[in-house]
Amino acid sequence: MDNTMKISDQITVGPQPNRDEIYEFGNEGFKSIVNFRTANEEGMPITPEAEGKAVESAGMKYCHIPVSMNMLDDRQVDEFREQFEALPKPIFAHCKSGKRAGAMAMMKRAVENGMSGEQTLQKAEEMGFQCDKPELKDFVKHYVDTHHK
């Protein structure tokens, strides 16, 4: 699949896969898929429910944590961090374009590594993330700065 980005050996992020790509991820060794899309987003190749069934039939674990750009919440990040620990690795995490998934993965990593919000945004930029959403940048910075280990 194009436009994927490996954050670490444990997690890769990108846009939402279709049914065939889900099976490819299973064949490539991924053990879990995390979906950050909300159920009512436009342009989904398959619904979260159908995706869950496809992921499980491909032999992987599925986790759905709906995240809307309009309703970013610390609890969603906290839930992802908890689920991340429990899910078999490696994980493919996605949203529509990969930005929300990338932000979630970067926040998890930053908190674990004691980074500041500014350092997190800098690292994300160095890795090639293009964040054109000021509200997402502000949320990432705030979350990381208030959740240091």
Side-chain angles (χ1 to χ4, degrees), residues 42-142:
E42 290 181 24
M44 287 194 283
I46 55 177
T47 65
E49 186 179 319
E51 180 176 336
K53 289 177 182 170
V55 168
E56 288 169 8
S57 72
M60 296 177 285
K61 295 281 183 198
Y62 180 71
C63 178
H64 182 219
I65 304 172
V67 175
S68 166
M69 288 299 288
N70 304 327
M71 308 245 327
L72 296 167
D73 189 308
D74 286 8
R75 288 173 296 182
Q76 296 160 322
V77 187
D78 294 342
E79 181 182 350
F80 170 63
R81 289 173 53 206
E82 284 175 31
Q83 292 290 333
F84 184 91
E85 296 311 316
L87 289 168
K89 318 294 183 293
I91 297 168
F92 177 75
H94 75 82
C95 54
K96 181 177 182 177
S97 67
K99 286 180 184 166
R100 281 171 285 173
M104 297 292 265
M106 291 300 293
M107 285 185 280
K108 180 206 171 301
R109 183 178 181 189
V111 169
E112 287 176 357
N113 293 318
M115 296 166 68
S116 71
E118 197 55 51
Q119 288 171 320
T120 306
L121 293 174
Q122 213 169 4
K123 181 68 176 169
E125 214 171 277
E126 287 169 17
M127 292 177 75
F129 281 108
Q130 302 298 318
C131 187
D132 54 359
K133 305 261 187 224
E135 63 272 29
L136 184 58
K137 275 186 176 177
D138 292 343
F139 179 76
V140 167
K141 191 172 180 184
H142 172 74

Side-chain angles (χ1 to χ4, degrees), residues 5-61:
M5 183 176 296
K6 187 174 182 173
I7 303 291
S8 71
D9 289 341
Q10 296 189 326
I11 187 164
T12 298
V13 300
Q16 183 174 16
N18 62 34
R19 221 177 279 275
D20 292 339
E21 289 165 332
I22 287 169
Y23 287 98
E24 286 175 32
F25 282 129
N27 291 335
E28 290 172 13
F30 284 92
K31 304 285 186 222
S32 303
I33 291 187
V34 177
N35 178 359
F36 291 112
R37 295 194 79 177
T38 60
N40 58 353
E41 281 186 48
E42 290 181 24
M44 287 194 283
I46 55 177
T47 65
E49 186 179 319
E51 180 176 336
K53 289 177 182 170
V55 168
E56 288 169 8
S57 72
M60 296 177 285
K61 295 281 183 198

